[in-house]
Every structure is written in C-alpha cells, then in structure tokens.
Amino acid sequence: MRFVDFTEGCKPTELVIAQTSSPQLTQGKVLVKVHAFGVNRADTLQRQGHYPAPAGESEILGLEMAGEVIGVAEDVSQWQVGDRVFGLVAGGGYAEEVAVLASHLMAIPDSLSDTEAAGLAEVFLTAFQCLRTISHVKPAQRVLLHGGASGVGLAATQLCRYWGVEAAVTASSEAKLDYCAQQGAKLGINYRHQDFAEEVKQAWPEGVDMVLDMVGGDYLNRNLKVLKQDGIVVYLAMLAGRYADKLDMALLIGKRATIQGTTLRSRSDAYKSTLIEDFATTCLPAFARGELKVNIDTVYTIDEVAQSHARLEANDTQGKIVVTWR
C-alpha cells in the first residue's frame, strides 16, 4: 500500500508518497480502505518532531480517516465488508489501508461524503469530550471558545448551538468571526485588535461557565477573569508555547476554578470507545438531519499533501483540511 512518509523535522514540501506492507488484521480490528483523511495540528507537530506516536502505535501520520471496510477479524460482528465507516486511529491515517479497533469506528451517514466524514471524528470528538465529558455544559450556560475558526472551534460552536449553549469565540479576522457567527456564535472577538477579557465582561458581566483554550500563554489569567465561580478552563493545546504566565492564585481560589488539560490521542482504547459510543448515540443522527455539519475548508488530493500541512501551519484555514487518495 501507499502511505505518506516523512523524516522527523522535515518541511511540508519534503513529505513523500512511499510503499509499505499492508497492516495486519488482528483480534478486535477492522481493515479499512482509506478514501480520505483529515489533517490535524498533531500531524504537523509529529512531522516536526514534537509529538511522537504513542508507544506501540503506527508511526505513520494521521489520526482520522474515512473509507470502506475490506476486512473484519473473526471476533468482530458489528461491521461487514463494504460498510462505509469513519473514525479515530492513534496513527496510520495517512495510508491507503489502516487497521482500526471496531469500537473506534462509526457508520458514515448516507447524507455525508467520504471527504466530509474524514474531517468529522477528530474535531467533533475533541469538542464533545471537552464540552460534555469534561465540563458537563448545560443548556443556557455560556462558554468562551478560543480558536473559533479552527476545526475544533467550529465543531464546539455547532455543538453549543445544538445544545442551547451560548458561545463567545475569538479569531484573527472579521471574515473568520463572520463564519463563526454562521455556525451559531453569539459573540465574536478579534483577538488581534480586542482584549477578549474586556469584551466578554462587557457583553456578559457575570462571566462564562467554561473556557476552551488551545493557546495558553498570557491567556491563562484572562481566562480566569471571565470565568464564573466554580467554572472550568480546559486546555487542549499550547500554541503560545509550553509555559503560561504566572498563575494568579487569588483569581483561581476566589473563583473556585478548575484548570484541566486534556488530550485524545493518548487516551486508552476503552476511553475512546466509550466517548465514540456516546457521541454516535447523542450527536451522529444530527448530521444525517443536517442539524450539524462538517466544516470543510479545502479538499486536497494526495499529490497536494504538502500544501495541506503548509496551510495549517500558516493558520490560514476556516474548518477542516482533508486529503483524498483518489
């Protein structure tokens, strides 16, 4: 099979298409012919040498894919050859074939294309995990979402709208903020020209119940300033660097705040299975009804995979970038 190969620390233009053996079909797994895969910041970080694959997992890039079942282990009964599926992998998504745990797959709704499904799992499951599994947001609550025009940000905004939660978002341009508003954002803040803490407090003096942050840095204390008592700040990335500003302990204690970090890739297989089952039951039918949708920025062919990484690293996207094998 073909796959996207790389040398650690290489540039996007140095990604190459290479050949390797097809993965082995072992107990509990399904072999999927990959038609399309989503591109995520974790992929660019892994290429740069900053985010290695978990021990025992494929070192091939790629955390999500969509395609067709071409093989099923003897102990798997919920999938059959020919089924259209999408889901999570801890590595190996940038290949023509991938072996996936049966419980980490979902059926592609008939209304979705393979390219749409390829961009669904990682961002929506991450947003779902942060909002529901960790923060337990409820209807009529308010949240602040940083990186509003990112794949996770747009997914989180849609889930908030779907659940009746009001969302404020930050983004780097008016065009991105307009797009966020179309997805259901109630308040848009251009972080290049506005202080998000001041804007949120002006619009919602009582603050927000939850903050979803992928930036870090000097956002930490400002997040606490806009947080209600007993609120939670969830961190899922550190785009501003590994270290944050000095934590204002008075704010933290006075707000009785929770600060929590989270990942998805390194979670246990059992955790991912439970998360996927919850999401498939709670939210997947909404895609079939058109109440939720996958925000696709651009679809590239496999020969354009370098452009997909370059675009993501330039922070020049509104939604998901997807690459197709055909």
Side-chain angles (χ1 to χ4, degrees), residues 180 252 266 318 322:
C180 293
L252 177 69
S266 60
Q318 292 181 182
V322 172

Side-chain angles (χ1 to χ4, degrees), residues 3 29 37 44 59 75-76 89 93 95 98 163 167 169 193 202 226 241 254 274 286-287 313 323 326:
F3 75 106
K29 292 191 174 182
F37 56 84
T44 64
E59 294 185 0
D75 62 330
V76 173
V89 290
V98 64
W163 290 328
V169 301
H193 306 296
Q202 182 175 344
V226 302
T274 299
F287 289 90
E313 290 178 353
V323 177
R326 56 181 186 178

Side-chain angles (χ1 to χ4, degrees), residues 32-38 65-70 82-85 93 95-98 108 113-115 118 299-302 322-326:
V32 177
K33 178 72 172 179
V34 177
H35 294 161
F37 56 84
M65 52 77 232
E68 179 182 347
V69 174
I70 57 174
D83 286 345
R84 297 177 67 228
V85 294
E96 286 187 307
E97 297 177 13
V98 64
I108 300 176
S113 65
D114 288 342
T115 52
V299 177
Y300 291 102
T301 66
I302 192 62
V322 172
V323 177
T324 64
W325 278 105
R326 56 181 186 178

Side-chain angles (χ1 to χ4, degrees), residues 182-256:
Q182 294 172 25
Q183 309 305 307
K186 296 297 184 182
L187 176 64
I189 303 163
N190 187 328
Y191 67 79
R192 294 187 185 277
H193 306 296
Q194 297 171 292
D195 184 321
F196 72 80
E198 293 180 1
E199 297 298 324
V200 170
K201 291 298 286 184
Q202 182 175 344
W204 299 334
E206 68 277 20
V208 299
D209 300 276
M210 180 259 191
V211 180
L212 177 58
D213 191 5
M214 55 196 75
V215 179
D218 67 353
Y219 278 27
L220 176 57
N221 288 325
R222 285 193 282 164
N223 287 334
L224 290 173
K225 286 180 181 179
V226 302
L227 198 67
K228 290 182 179 179
Q229 281 195 328
D230 301 307
I232 182 170
V233 182
V234 178
Y235 280 94
L236 53 82
M238 44 186 171
L239 297 179
R242 182 172 179 175
Y243 298 101
D245 273 5
K246 294 180 181 179
L247 173 63
D248 186 333
M249 291 297 295
L251 271 177
L252 177 69
I253 294 170
K255 295 290 182 76
R256 300 192 297 264

Side-chain angles (χ1 to χ4, degrees), residues 37-38 40 43 46 60-65 89-94 265:
F37 56 84
N40 295 282
D43 306 334
Q46 184 176 341
I60 296 174
L61 299 172
L63 305 183
E64 61 182 336
M65 52 77 232
V89 290
Y94 284 30
R265 183 183 194 181

Side-chain angles (χ1 to χ4, degrees), residues 268-287:
S268 69
D269 289 339
Y271 179 96
K272 293 177 185 177
S273 297
T274 299
L275 180 70
I276 288 168
E277 182 180 14
D278 192 8
F279 176 82
T281 301
T282 306
C283 295
L284 195 55
F287 289 90

Side-chain angles (χ1 to χ4, degrees), residues 129-138 141 210 232 234:
Q129 175 201 34
C130 293
L131 293 169
R132 178 184 172 100
T133 309
I134 295 173
S135 302
H136 308 290
V137 296
K138 299 175 179 62
Q141 288 189 331
M210 180 259 191
I232 182 170
V234 178

Side-chain angles (χ1 to χ4, degrees), residues 50-126:
H50 303 311
Y51 193 27
E57 300 292 350
S58 172
E59 294 185 0
I60 296 174
L61 299 172
L63 305 183
E64 61 182 336
M65 52 77 232
E68 179 182 347
V69 174
I70 57 174
V72 180
E74 291 183 357
D75 62 330
V76 173
S77 59
Q78 66 264 51
W79 302 111
Q80 298 179 350
V81 171
D83 286 345
R84 297 177 67 228
V85 294
F86 74 103
L88 290 179
V89 290
Y94 284 30
E96 286 187 307
E97 297 177 13
V98 64
V100 190
L101 277 175
S103 57
H104 290 182
L105 291 171
M106 292 173 275
I108 300 176
D110 291 338
S111 59
L112 295 187
S113 65
D114 288 342
T115 52
E116 289 173 310
L120 196 164
E122 185 69 23
V123 293
F124 271 95
L125 286 170
T126 297

